[in-house]
Amino acid sequence: GLIFPAEILPLAERSGFMSSLGRWILWEACKCLRRIQNSGFQDFSLTINLASSQVFDAAFSDQVEAAIAETGVCASSVQLDIPVSVFAQGGADVSKALERLARTGVSLAFDDFGMGCSGPGCLRHATFEGLKIDRRLIAGAHADRFNAAVVRSVFGLAGELGIAAVAKGVEGHQDLDFLAELGCTVAQGFLFAPPMQEAELMAWLFASDIASETFD
């Protein structure tokens, strides 16, 4: 069945399989991105979830550069999602790890912002181009006073810092309407489309006649 990255990545880390799995995901994602762009969707961009161990692995940035160079994709069309757990370690190691990844030319996004140990101070560590709001805050935000206040504050913070805020886990039209009122321009979730295999995605893109759009 469908298993989310939040379940897969910690399991892979505990089993010692994350390094080889992460390398395979990186290369397959870049090859898939190249095929989609070559099919006429030149502005298509792709995000890749990272595990904490990948962020701190000094060799991973070299793997990113190699995958981009050999598949021919543009680094700016690849975004790496940095998990909240990275910031639990703290210290200079976090800044160094993020700077190392940023030098590859890809964009970095703070994943699941607003929950756990995340906070505004974490944004000092690197130049994040994206800030993904935790799906637990988005779900039912239109009717939950606390969630609505936090989401509204996060959009305000992102705007002040010049960072693109992305709403995760959008599943209802009421939540989408609420986000639109806040000026949200980028969102992801089952309301738009379920996870798809590459062939399904290509068919969906062509059927939707949206070749000129930019996708996440």
Side-chain angles (χ1 to χ4, degrees), residues 141-189:
H142 70 280
D144 186 303
R145 184 179 179 183
F146 176 82
N147 283 14
V150 174
V151 171
R152 189 176 293 109
S153 298
V154 172
F155 271 101
L157 173 64
E160 289 289 333
L161 297 176
I163 300 174
V166 180
K168 294 183 62 176
V170 180
E171 299 183 4
H173 287 283
Q174 289 179 306
D175 287 329
L176 184 62
D177 291 340
F178 168 74
L179 292 167
E181 292 176 3
L182 297 180
C184 176
T185 59
V186 185
Q188 62 186 63

Side-chain angles (χ1 to χ4, degrees), residues 48-69:
I48 302 173
N49 290 89
L50 298 189
S52 297
S53 59
Q54 290 176 284
V55 176
F56 291 110
D57 183 355
F60 184 69
S61 59
D62 293 332
Q63 295 172 16
V64 172
E65 291 181 331
I68 289 172

Side-chain angles (χ1 to χ4, degrees), residues 34 70 72 77 83 95 107 132 162 171 198 210:
R34 179 74 278 176
E70 296 191 29
S77 63
S95 294
S107 61
K132 295 192 168 184
E171 299 183 4
E198 182 181 343
I210 44 182

Side-chain angles (χ1 to χ4, degrees), residues 93-174:
D93 289 343
V94 176
S95 294
K96 289 180 180 179
L98 295 177
E99 289 171 4
R100 190 165 52 234
L101 289 175
R103 285 197 294 268
T104 65
V106 301
S107 61
L108 304 180
F110 191 138
D111 202 14
D112 294 330
F113 186 83
M115 298 294 283
C117 64
S118 64
C122 297
L123 298 174
R124 292 181 179 274
H125 286 284
T127 302
F128 285 100
E129 295 185 31
L131 189 159
K132 295 192 168 184
I133 305 173
D134 194 292
R135 62 192 305 272
R136 289 168 290 182
L137 289 172
I138 297 298
H142 70 280
D144 186 303
R145 184 179 179 183
F146 176 82
N147 283 14
V150 174
V151 171
R152 189 176 293 109
S153 298
V154 172
F155 271 101
L157 173 64
E160 289 289 333
L161 297 176
I163 300 174
V166 180
K168 294 183 62 176
V170 180
E171 299 183 4
H173 287 283
Q174 289 179 306

